[in-house]
Amino acid sequence: MAILDGENLFYDKKPLSAGELVSDVLQVGPGDAGDPLVLVLRVKDAGTGTFKSVLETAATADFASPKSLAAYEQVPLSVHLPRGNLGYLRIRGTSTFSKGSVTAGLVLDDDVDR
């Protein structure tokens, strides 16, 4: 499992419920890295269900004009951060789980297959 940094967490053991879950906003600065960060997302003690996530970016923290960077349906998730970052990132998740928790963040590297 990857080492998670509290400054780079979208969700930190957030309780799951059926419906939409909007993450915390991360300020990462505009532009793309030559060696992109890895987005990881895990659910714990959730039973059976799905978690669909859309990674969004915006130029302002209030997400007045959000842009979708990618959509994912797999859990657990481990992917390189896509190009197109405008400075702020968040995840808009849709869950069918009724219990458990979700943790998601950005890491330098992970030790799971992508």
Side-chain angles (χ1 to χ4, degrees):
M1 180 65 184
I3 297 173
L4 298 172
D5 170 4
E7 296 292 318
N8 290 311
L9 288 177
F10 293 104
Y11 301 112
D12 186 11
K13 299 176 191 148
K14 183 172 181 76
L16 285 166
S17 60
E20 185 176 65
L21 296 168
V22 179
S23 76
D24 292 339
V25 172
L26 299 185
Q27 180 181 5
V28 294
D32 300 306
D35 189 12
L37 295 170
V38 177
L39 169 63
V40 294
L41 185 142
R42 306 282 185 269
V43 297
K44 184 176 180 182
D45 301 325
T48 303
T50 61
F51 192 91
K52 297 178 182 180
S53 52
V54 176
L55 179 64
E56 294 181 330
T57 188
T60 58
D62 64 358
F63 275 75
S65 298
K67 173 185 167 189
S68 176
L69 288 180
Y72 308 101
E73 294 191 18
Q74 66 268 35
V75 175
L77 176 66
S78 177
V79 295
H80 281 110
L81 196 62
R83 298 206 177 273
N85 170 39
L86 299 175
Y88 295 87
L89 298 170
R90 74 176 176 193
I91 295 174
R92 295 184 75 82
T94 304
S95 170
T96 63
F97 292 106
S98 59
K99 64 178 183 174
S101 64
V102 61
T103 298
L106 299 176
V107 297
L108 292 175
D109 198 2
D110 62 355
D111 64 357
V112 297
D113 294 330
R114 287 188 192 86

